Amino acid sequence: MCRFNFGWIAGIVPFMICISSFQGSSMKANEGLNQHLAVIRSQNKGKETNWAKLEAECLKLVKDHNSPEEKGEIYATIALIYAEKGYTSREDVRIPKALEYCKKALQHPLDATTACEMYGRWAGALMVTYWSYAEEDFVTVRQEAIVPCLTGLKLALDNKAPKEYPKAPPPVSKYDNPGDKELVNRHKEELAAQKKWQFLEKLFFQRKALTQMCISLYSHKPYDADELRNLAQKILKNHEGVVNELIGQVEARIAELEAPSTQTSKQSPREPAKDPPANSTQR
């Protein structure tokens, strides 16, 4: 099930929601903890859910799983419980909780893909809250939201997030002779290739989602590509090519929005986005 709200992020949120998973983590996973968290998270059914109850159940696990890595996983799971079903409005009570736990999770060791997602959820919650603000107020909020966007993008790029969808390796072959060292070694290599591909696949989606968030923020009036360039050059160190590409995408999006419309509509596409009615999309 993949659900999102608000038309203005329809091209972004599916990536952040559909790939939410701790499976295949690059860190040494605590299987017992992950199983507990997965069971709790599976109880999140949307607006009918008692989110405070699920939060409390997660926090109870800290007693027996109190290493920094384990706390990070617990806080990240709580952040997702509050964020992953989408928000109904900018006053949604889940937004401050999502912000709180994204920040808490990022104060602890996380695998790269989970950390990227926490940065994206953090920025996304701010965008939902402030998107329809007046232009003069939106400028300040945008300066706040772009920092986690770019920080998450930097983390993805530093971990070799591919620009294009990574090619899947051949499927892992089966073998029934554990005494055959050649087959055993080939099996291990194939498993390692699958694990690497899964990691790169997640990084690809995180890179794409965070990039789209940056584009959305700076193709919203008042336009300020120069501000984005200055911030991106500071945060995306050693990724100058990506900075230039990002600015080009923002400028192209602005040009598209400012192009004369060939269709008559009640609302110009150049007007600031307003909170549309909540909707959902299922995968």
Side-chain angles (χ1 to χ4, degrees):
M1 174 89 56
C2 178
R3 185 183 182 206
F4 60 93
N5 300 107
F6 298 95
W8 57 269
I9 51 172
I12 302 171
V13 178
F15 294 116
M16 305 305 295
I17 296 176
C18 297
I19 59 176
S20 299
S21 173
F22 296 128
Q23 301 304 315
S25 165
S26 59
M27 299 177 67
K28 292 183 179 179
N30 181 319
E31 292 185 6
L33 174 60
N34 285 341
Q35 289 175 358
H36 282 301
L37 293 173
V39 169
I40 296 171
R41 190 173 161 195
S42 69
Q43 299 173 51
N44 186 8
K45 305 300 182 183
K47 63 181 181 180
E48 304 300 327
T49 302
N50 185 337
W51 297 295
K53 177 176 177 291
L54 299 186
E55 175 188 351
E57 290 180 10
C58 287
L59 292 176
K60 286 180 182 178
L61 297 173
V62 174
K63 180 179 179 180
D64 297 320
H65 303 278
N66 56 13
S67 70
E69 293 81 4
E70 290 171 324
K71 286 182 179 178
E73 288 194 36
I74 291 169
Y75 296 146
T77 298
I78 297 173
L80 290 174
I81 286 171
Y82 280 111
E84 66 185 344
K85 297 298 182 180
Y87 306 111
T88 57
S89 73
R90 66 185 187 184
E91 289 83 23
D92 196 307
V93 295
R94 290 170 292 173
I95 293 175
K97 282 289 189 177
L99 287 169
E100 174 189 350
Y101 280 100
C102 283
K103 294 175 183 180
K104 277 189 175 182
L106 286 165
Q107 293 172 0
H108 296 76
L110 299 172
D111 66 90
T113 57
T114 302
C116 286
E117 183 166 18
M118 291 298 101
Y119 283 117
R121 297 289 185 174
W122 176 356
L126 291 175
M127 290 169 74
V128 168
T129 304
Y130 302 116
W131 192 257
S132 58
Y133 270 34
E135 289 184 13
E136 59 271 22
D137 297 322
F138 182 76
V139 169
T140 301
V141 175
R142 178 167 61 190
Q143 291 170 345
E144 179 183 358
I146 193 61
V147 173
C149 276
L150 290 172
T151 304
L153 181 57
K154 173 70 160 57
L155 180 59
L157 294 170
D158 286 349
N159 280 273
K160 313 298 182 185
K163 181 179 178 181
E164 304 296 334
Y165 187 79
K167 182 179 179 181
V172 178
S173 58
K174 298 180 180 180
Y175 69 95
D176 55 9
N177 183 4
D180 189 327
K181 292 184 178 180
E182 182 178 347
L183 289 177
V184 171
N185 289 335
R186 184 191 306 168
H187 183 75
K188 289 180 179 179
E189 291 172 357
E190 290 170 345
L191 282 175
Q194 281 285 337
K195 185 175 181 179
K196 180 179 179 180
W197 172 72
Q198 291 169 356
F199 180 63
L200 290 176
E201 181 189 40
K202 291 181 181 180
L203 285 174
F204 162 78
F205 283 120
Q206 294 294 348
R207 174 178 176 172
K208 188 166 186 175
L210 290 161
T211 298
Q212 288 301 316
M213 283 186 165
C214 294
I215 295 170
S216 294
L217 280 169
Y218 280 86
S219 59
H220 184 296
K221 287 186 176 181
Y223 307 136
D224 196 343
D226 288 338
E227 177 181 271
L228 175 59
R229 182 184 293 279
N230 290 334
L231 290 168
Q233 286 175 337
K234 292 177 182 179
I235 297 175
L236 299 181
K237 294 180 180 179
N238 303 318
H239 298 289
E240 186 63 31
V242 174
V243 173
N244 292 333
E245 185 175 303
L246 180 60
I247 299 303
Q249 290 173 299
V250 168
E251 291 175 341
R253 177 60 178 154
I254 292 172
E256 179 183 341
L257 292 171
E258 292 296 326
S261 176
T262 58
Q263 298 180 353
T264 302
S265 61
K266 293 183 179 180
Q267 177 179 344
S268 167
R270 291 177 290 171
E271 292 182 15
K274 297 179 175 62
D275 294 351
N279 59 77
S280 64
T281 296
Q282 296 183 352
R283 179 181 64 170

